[in-house]
C-alpha cells in the first residue's frame, strides 16, 4: 500500500533494509527528531496533512502526509523501535486548496456584483455574506448582519420570503420573480 508513494523513479527497491537516516536524507531534519523522541521514551506522535517534500520520480516533490510514530517496546519494556503508519494526502490537500480558491473567487464576484446578493446557510438561513448593494437595500451594517439568522434580522420579510426559500431548498428548483413585494423595516419606517 505504501509503494505508490515512493514514485516511479524514487527509492524503491533500494530503500529496503537501509537505515532511515540514509533512506530519507532530504527529510531527516523533520522526521529524525520525531523518531528520536519516541525512541527516548516520548509519547506517540500524530501529524495531519503535513507538507514533507520527498525525493521521488527523479526529483524533490511536495508531498502531504498524515502519519503517526509509535514506540515498539522490547522485552525490557523500553522502546526498541518505531512503528510508522502513514497515508499520503497530497491529492486531498491540493483539491481542498483548489476548492478554497474557487470559493474565494466566487465570494469576490458576489461582493463586486452590481445587484443585491446574500448567501444563506441551512434551514435557519444563517447569513454567510452579503454584498454592499444588499446591505444598502436592507439598511444594515455588515458587522451586525453577518452570522445572524436572516429572519431575526428581517422579521417583517419572513411571511413572504421564508416559504420561497424553503421551496427552493426542498425542490432544488430556482425561484424567480419580478416586482415581488416584500415588507422591510428600514430607514426608520416599514
Amino acid at each position: 500500500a505504501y509503494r505508490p508513494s515512493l514514485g516511479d523513479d524514487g527509492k524503491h527497491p533500494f530503500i529496503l533494509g537501509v537505515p532511515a537516516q540514509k533512506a530519507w536524507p532530504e527529510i531527516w531534519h523533520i522526521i529524525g527528531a520525531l523518531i528520536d523522541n519516541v525512541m527516548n521514551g516520548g509519547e506517540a506522535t500524530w501529524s495531519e496533512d503535513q507538507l514533507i517534500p520527498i525525493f521521488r520520480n527523479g526529483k524533490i516533490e511536495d508531498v502531504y502526509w498524515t502519519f503517526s510514530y509509535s514506540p515498539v517496546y522490547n522485552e525490557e519494556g523500553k522502546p526498541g523501535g518505531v512503528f510508522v503508519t502513514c497515508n499520503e494526502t497530497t491529492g486531498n490537500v491540493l483539491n481542498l486548496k483548489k476548492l478554497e480558491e474557487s470559493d474565494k473567487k466566487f465570494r469576490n464576484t458576489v461582493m463586486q456584483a452590481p445587484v443585491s446578493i446574500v448567501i444563506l446557510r441551512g434551514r435557519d438561513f444563517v447569513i454567510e455574506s452579503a454584498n454592499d448593494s444588499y446591505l444598502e437595500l436592507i439598511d444594515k451594517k455588515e458587522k451586525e448582519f453577518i452570522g445572524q439568522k436572516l429572519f431575526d434580522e428581517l422579521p417583517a420579510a419572513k411571511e413572504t420570503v421564508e416559504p420561497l426559500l424553503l421551496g427552493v431548498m426542498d425542490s432544488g428548483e430556482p425561484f424567480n420573480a419580478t416586482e415581488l413585494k416584500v415588507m422591510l423595516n428600514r430607514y426608520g419606517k416599514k
Side-chain angles (χ1 to χ4, degrees), residues 2 11 14-36 39 69 82 84:
Y2 182 71
K11 298 177 183 289
F14 88 85
I15 197 172
L16 300 174
V18 174
Q21 188 171 4
K22 289 184 181 178
W24 302 107
E26 73 275 21
I27 61 171
W28 190 252
H29 66 283
I30 298 170
I31 66 172
L34 298 172
I35 291 171
D36 287 345
M39 289 297 293
Y69 292 168
V82 179
V84 179

Side-chain angles (χ1 to χ4, degrees), residues 103 105 111 130 162-163:
D103 183 61
K105 286 179 182 176
M111 297 311 281
E162 185 178 43

